[in-house]
Amino acid sequence: MSTIGRHITVDPEIQNGQPVFSGTRVPVQTLFWHLEKGITIEEFLEDFPSVTKEQAIGVLEIANKIVNSAQLGQIYETVN
């Protein structure tokens, strides 16, 4: 299973196809909403016990790779 597959699942039958933490129905976006509001990862994990700390950290690592990717500039130029 890929790194992304260990942490994120996209299935049209689960939450209408929005990315969720693998093995859960918790949308990945929920982690980012919590962090944006100043809520810690530990508090997020308390709110969503079906998500593991490994998954939460893994999703943040994936996001970091995307944001720091050389292709991000190309993607940005494409959508603008």
Side-chain angles (χ1 to χ4, degrees), residues 56-77:
I57 301 265
V59 163
L60 293 175
E61 288 172 350
I62 291 165
N64 182 50
K65 286 179 184 177
I66 292 168
V67 168
N68 289 303
S69 167
Q71 287 90 16
L72 184 62
Q74 294 169 348
I75 293 168
Y76 179 77
E77 289 175 13

Side-chain angles (χ1 to χ4, degrees), residues 3-4 6-8 21 28 31-32 41 51-66:
T3 300
I4 292 176
R6 283 197 321 258
H7 304 300
I8 300 171
F21 288 93
V28 169
L31 172 61
F32 293 99
I41 290 178
V51 177
T52 67
K53 188 171 186 175
E54 177 190 8
Q55 287 176 309
I57 301 265
V59 163
L60 293 175
E61 288 172 350
I62 291 165
N64 182 50
K65 286 179 184 177
I66 292 168

